[in-house]
Amino acid sequence: MVNSDGKVFDAQYRAGSEGNIGTAWGGVLSQWGTQYIAQNYREYNYYTILSYYYSFSDKSSGYIQTGNY
């Protein structure tokens, strides 16, 4: 996973709280939030979930990128 400039960034997470999705584009992934999204938004895949937290944050000025680098 890299930021919109193609650079690897320091991914961070916190536990959060059960049933709370966490902050969009906050730069910190929520453990409970990812579970909530996966269970309640079946159309979301891993990229959509990661992008929810890391894109347009202090980690990436645009959409993050995933794949082989």
Side-chain angles (χ1 to χ4, degrees):
M1 178 170 63
V2 296
N3 65 19
S4 56
D5 293 328
K7 298 184 191 283
V8 174
F9 61 89
D10 181 28
Q12 298 177 324
Y13 89 98
R14 64 176 58 118
S17 57
E18 190 171 357
N20 185 348
I21 198 168
T23 304
W25 303 328
V28 180
L29 181 137
S30 167
Q31 176 181 343
W32 283 104
T34 58
Q35 179 181 352
Y36 182 88
I37 293 170
Q39 290 176 340
N40 293 285
Y41 298 93
R42 300 285 183 181
E43 69 276 14
Y44 281 35
N45 61 22
Y46 78 96
Y47 172 77
T48 310
I49 294 171
L50 291 172
S51 185
Y52 175 85
Y53 294 104
Y54 294 124
S55 293
F56 302 99
S57 69
D58 63 339
K59 309 295 184 201
S60 182
S61 61
Y63 287 104
I64 61 164
Q65 304 169 45
T66 61
N68 297 324
Y69 297 97

